[in-house]
Amino acid sequence: MSMAVELSGVSKKYRKGFRYRSLREDLATVGRRFLGRSSDVREPRDFWALRNLSLTVDQGEVLGVIGNNGAGKTTALKLISRISYPTEGSIRVRGRTASLIELTAGMHPELTGRDNIFVYGAILGMSRREMEERYESILSFAELREFIDMPVKHFSTGMYVRLGFSVAVHTDPDVLLVDEVLSVGDVGFQAKSFDRMLRFRQDGTTIMFVSHNMPAVAQICDRVLWLEDGRQKMLGDTKSVLSAYLEAQDRRLATARSSSELRGDDIGAADIVIERITTHRADGSVADSFGYREALRLRIHYKAFREVRRPYFMVGISHHAGSLFGASMQLDGRCPEKVSGKGVVELLFRELPLLPGTYQVIGQIRRDVSTNYYNPRQLASFVVAGSLETYGFGERVGLGNSRNTSPVVVPYEWQLTEEG
Amino acid sequence: MFGRAGIEMGDAGEVTTQVYQRRREELRLAPLVEVSARLGLLASLGELMVFRGLLWMLIVREVKIRYSQTLLGIGWAIAQPLVLMLAFTVFFGRFAGISSDGLPYPLFSYAGLLPWTFFATSLAFGVPSLVTNTPLVARVYFPREILPLASVLSAGVDFGAAALVYIAFMAIYHIAPTSVLVHLLPLLLVQLVLAVAVTLALAAINVFYRDVRYVLPVVTQIWLFATPVIYPLSVVPEGIRATYLAINPLAGVIDGYRRVLAAGTPPDMSLLALSAVSSIGLLIVAYLCFKRVERSFADVI
């Protein structure tokens, strides 16, 4: 395997506190220096967004980049895509880079969709001829054919994003940089973009994937880089980095109360937190892989920092296509009168009506209709394994096709009645 | 770089997997390119060539946008110098009695206003071009000089439209189209070089110091007075004329236009050469400085 991206000793320094200078400030600085009174000059504080990052990504590899906000994930992508330049170190890339960082940056509201396709293509380094070859394909992917001669200022946000995404994925990149695009647009579009990523991967495109969506990272990444405060915290196979990261997140949450590191809007009121959710079979044994229509038992481990009255536990099962189903004490009213200290709430789904795939478990504790003790957070994931044929579906239906449909299966039967 | 495999489209318009695989094989032989490296002058120009399609697109985009939702459309490009010409003729030609070296004042002022309007429009759109396109600069890679360049060249489209009025002048003043008009070509080139140089420099400074926004209208106004648009070059005292021309290369260009368009004589070649040398020098310095500071645009914009 040859290398596609190589970072050696890359650091990036930003000046904190102000974005652009005014001439007055700079003249004042020069003036004071000239007069020899430099002591009271307020130098802007430096801020290192990345510190000494070295990394190689092989051709065809999918590297996930995770970390908290401000860890340097986006900065890393910006440096690789030459939007910004490293303060120290060097970056080498093989082939053409495309970034799904900002999908609508090149759009101009006054121009028609058609004009914008060509302008955006040119911005991404495509020639007019290449864009003409791809024009039809871009149109059908974006599903905007009937609006294409309309100025895009009349487009909805979703239409903007679809157009931008459609152009970006048609630029035939060798290295694809993806930054949280899976979180924009509607659910259908998110599923579509995820599929497109899988396709790029299958075609051997090198991908760097920045995301907070851990199940998505788990599903498509070969390796994961965990950044913390601009430094490499961990780099390794997806499974071990993700579990270390999630563990650290849990620890952070557990200590959050005492260190008051997290504010209310980050985790909720935080009188009570969910420490973790574990997945089990009906018999209580720990498992992370289940069969179609098998039972799923969830154990919600909570910790209350004081006596909490009527915490409404809520659990949602979701998929990259969106939220599927769940259980809510606010709906069924079966909530404990009060809890304190540590404890476990058990939840049993008697059967999982799910097609094979990866699913996420979201936990949340509500206080009332509008406020949370504990904000919704993804706390576990599990896999439904096996192929569709074993479930009695026709053999022509593959896994790839099931991705575009809803993964929930309610038993059904067809009936054909011919009239006349 | 490396050759790109042909793309075959399937029914659904998807690029087929085999093509991709072939392409990956090809890519394995391609060199790793240090994307963080500073580019020299030649490499920068090469990069600019790669993105010439984008330059063209942005010119078209700018012209379209500039006149969308306006009543006159591109007619404004003609109306602006025409209205100024009328005003100049009344106030400076008639009332103030400013010399036009014996030429009809409308023709005299139009020949000066044509290149001046191009220059002023270039600055007005080109200097803020990087800042007005902040989303692009902050989020997408491309050689940044393309934005001010597109503004200058789209001002060239206006210039072309405004130049059509000269045909009407030829009919009114019975000017025969002669070979003297060939001299417009070098004039055009020097004018373009100068406009690009000044726009690049000011556009880059504008990214760091937004003060430029307030300084620009004043500078443009003073520059108009310091350039022989309202008055002929001959009123500048002979003793300081060489210094004057060296400091303001635009003066030589405008005097050249006036000679060719209004008087029907070739431009003063020594004046034009002086303008050309200082314009080209200015462009090289401006471009090198621009490429030097360009790397931090996305960080500060």
Side-chain angles (χ1 to χ4, degrees), chain A residues 256-270:
Chain A
R257 181 70 185 179
S258 48
S259 64
S260 72
E261 178 196 341
L262 294 173
R263 261 180 269 123
D265 56 349
D266 200 354
I267 63 165

Side-chain angles (χ1 to χ4, degrees), chain A residues 208-240:
Chain A
M208 285 183 74
F209 180 48
V210 166
S211 185
H212 289 286
N213 183 346
M214 294 307 146
V217 171
Q219 195 173 339
I220 73 163
C221 296
D222 302 310
R223 275 195 309 159
V224 173
L225 167 70
W226 171 10
L227 289 177
E228 198 173 86
D229 298 330
R231 293 168 198 271
Q232 173 184 323
K233 173 93 175 176
M234 196 175 170
L235 173 67
D237 68 283
T238 303
K239 204 171 172 174
S240 48

Side-chain angles (χ1 to χ4, degrees), chain B residues 52-66 146-147 149-157:
Chain B
R52 65 188 184 279
L54 175 61
L55 178 59
W56 175 246
M57 288 278 177
L58 289 179
I59 295 169
V60 174
R61 184 179 95 162
E62 186 146 342
V63 172
K64 274 189 187 173
I65 292 165
R66 204 182 296 170
I146 283 183
L147 286 171
L149 263 179
S151 296
V152 173
L153 292 176
S154 61
V157 175

Side-chain angles (χ1 to χ4, degrees), chain A residues 110-173:
Chain A
E110 294 290 344
L111 297 182
T112 64
R114 191 189 143 77
D115 287 341
N116 268 310
I117 287 179
F118 283 96
V119 173
Y120 196 33
I123 288 169
L124 297 176
M126 305 289 283
S127 72
R128 174 113 199 152
R129 197 180 51 79
E130 286 173 315
M131 287 309 290
E132 268 158 11
E133 282 170 6
R134 290 160 170 77
Y135 181 68
E136 269 307 307
S137 175
I138 291 171
L139 266 196
S140 45
F141 191 87
E143 300 167 21
L144 288 170
R145 194 177 296 276
E146 59 268 48
F147 306 108
I148 208 65
D149 289 316
M150 194 189 268
V152 298
K153 64 181 171 187
H154 301 306
F155 278 25
S156 69
T157 316
M159 288 160 82
Y160 256 97
V161 172
R162 252 148 68 198
L163 192 65
F165 185 86
S166 186
V167 174
V169 298
H170 280 84
T171 56
D172 188 24

Side-chain angles (χ1 to χ4, degrees), chain B residues 107 166 169-178 260-262 264:
Chain B
L107 186 59
Y166 183 65
F169 276 111
M170 291 172 87
I172 295 167
Y173 293 104
H174 307 289
I175 306 166
T178 62
V260 173
L261 293 180

